[in-house]
Amino acid sequence: MNNIKCIILDIDYTLTKSDNSISDYTISIIKELTKRGIYVIICTGRPNIYAVEKSKISNASPIVISDNGALIYNYEEDNILYKNNISKTYLNQIWDLSLTKNVDCVLNAVHTRYRHKKFINSTYIKTNSYIDSINNLKEDVLQLVLSSTNKEELLDCKKYINNIEELEVTNTNLNRIPEKNYYFCDVNVKGNSKGKSIIRLINMLNIDINDVICFGDSMNDISMFDVCKHKVAMKNSSDEFKKNANYITEYTNDEDGVARFIETNILSKIRKKFIL
């Protein structure tokens, strides 16, 4: 790790604490990295607007990878570097399915999230952009998020999606007890992944993959680990996930695990070079 030029960070339970906050210490470490010319890239399965928010708060680089790799976006320039959106045909299919099953369908776009007006009082996902028809969309959709407190209805939706060759469920909590009282499925164009978009981005930035390090905590981060030479699992991640890493943080996300690892293993070496 003597020549790291790009650091890839998952958000939830990696960059952020369990309450979704980012500590002043972590912010200061990321700020120092970017000042020294090291790219710090947020890479998440979450929507672009969330990725941009956390990137700005943490003083990371102005390029984010969001929606499980469906989008690479430079928010300072409002420039889409890569986009793989879901076609109108499949949007209509899943939209109709969700209404039939009484499952909330959230449509992630670059600048907002859309929902059906039917679910305006739902508490588990918030947005201001409510529509009553796919025809009212003003942007391409990068990812669908199906959410419900009814596990069986959502399982039916997942089975339906599994039969659509062009789409896939890229992340879900249907296989575990949810921390909050709802279940979800993230749906993307098949083949989207964080890992593939990391390769796309570092090629754009002319960075060698051997000079990239990534941090993650859950199974939808595996694709990042598949492409990065240096892969760091959070102490708070599962034992199963840790098997995919070649480093494990000494501290959890609630103890600034990412920032402490970076300061000890990357920044300390850079600082010594400048002193010498």
Side-chain angles (χ1 to χ4, degrees):
M1 290 190 288
N2 292 324
N3 195 35
I4 295 297
K5 295 178 181 176
C6 182
I7 297 173
I8 310 289
L9 300 177
D10 174 50
I11 298 178
D12 299 316
Y13 301 100
T14 300
L15 171 66
T16 59
K17 295 179 181 291
S18 298
D19 64 0
N20 282 334
S21 67
I22 304 173
S23 73
D24 290 341
Y25 168 63
T26 294
I27 291 171
S28 70
I29 291 297
I30 293 176
K31 188 173 184 179
E32 183 176 351
L33 288 166
T34 56
K35 280 188 174 181
R36 292 184 182 275
I38 297 173
Y39 287 95
V40 181
I41 306 295
I42 300 298
C43 183
T44 180
R46 296 273 216 137
N48 186 58
I49 53 175
Y50 183 77
V52 170
E53 174 194 338
K54 294 305 182 185
S55 183
K56 288 180 177 179
I57 290 171
S58 63
N59 279 300
S61 303
I63 301 172
V64 297
I65 299 172
S66 67
D67 299 279
N68 204 54
L71 180 72
I72 305 175
Y73 178 67
N74 185 321
Y75 55 83
E76 278 191 354
E77 300 175 0
D78 191 20
N79 184 22
I80 296 172
L81 303 176
Y82 170 80
K83 181 178 68 170
N84 190 5
N85 54 280
I86 299 173
S87 73
K88 202 73 168 288
T89 298
Y90 298 116
L91 286 179
N92 277 309
Q93 282 188 37
I94 306 304
W95 181 262
D96 291 343
L97 173 70
S98 69
L99 292 175
T100 300
K101 294 293 184 179
N102 198 35
V103 168
D104 194 356
C105 181
V106 178
L107 299 86
N108 292 342
V110 175
H111 297 103
T112 191
R113 309 183 82 188
Y114 296 89
R115 293 174 67 199
H116 195 284
K117 290 179 179 177
K118 177 180 180 180
F119 296 98
I120 197 166
N121 293 317
S122 173
T123 58
Y124 36 90
I125 292 183
K126 299 289 187 182
T127 186
N128 294 321
S129 300
Y130 296 95
I131 57 176
D132 53 17
S133 169
I134 290 292
N135 295 327
N136 297 138
L137 287 171
K138 297 179 180 179
E139 295 184 77
D140 289 331
V141 174
L142 305 159
Q143 183 182 61
L144 301 171
V145 182
L146 301 181
S147 302
S148 179
T149 55
N150 188 320
K151 183 177 181 179
E152 295 307 314
E153 295 286 14
L154 197 56
L155 278 169
D156 286 345
C157 291
K158 184 175 182 290
K159 289 177 184 176
Y160 181 94
I161 293 162
N162 287 342
N163 289 320
I164 300 176
E165 187 174 348
E166 290 79 3
L167 301 179
E168 65 180 332
V169 173
T170 50
N171 195 23
T172 183
N173 66 348
L174 283 168
N175 54 353
R176 61 184 186 270
I177 299 173
E179 294 179 9
K180 298 178 182 178
N181 189 31
Y182 73 91
Y183 295 89
F184 75 89
C185 288
D186 292 344
V187 183
N188 287 88
V189 174
K190 187 169 286 185
N192 268 345
S193 75
K194 293 182 178 184
K196 287 181 179 178
S197 279
I198 288 171
I199 295 298
R200 291 184 184 101
L201 179 58
I202 65 168
N203 286 338
M204 294 176 197
L205 299 175
N206 197 28
I207 294 174
D208 191 308
I209 191 62
N210 293 318
D211 300 330
V212 178
I213 187 170
C214 66
F215 291 78
D217 75 296
S218 60
M219 298 310 287
N220 77 325
D221 295 321
I222 293 296
S223 67
M224 297 198 307
F225 282 24
D226 286 342
V227 301
C228 292
K229 178 180 178 181
H230 308 289
K231 36 218 172 198
V232 187
M234 299 302 296
K235 182 181 180 180
N236 47 279
S237 58
S238 69
D239 290 339
E240 180 184 4
F241 180 75
K242 288 173 183 174
K243 293 176 183 177
N244 300 280
N246 44 23
Y247 304 96
I248 299 171
T249 61
E250 186 178 350
Y251 300 92
T252 69
N253 64 306
D254 287 320
E255 301 167 322
D256 296 312
V258 167
R260 288 173 183 266
F261 184 96
I262 290 172
E263 183 163 36
T264 300
N265 296 283
I266 300 173
L267 268 180
S268 62
K269 297 175 183 178
I270 295 173
R271 290 166 181 163
K272 284 179 182 178
K273 286 181 181 179
F274 277 88
I275 291 173
L276 295 174

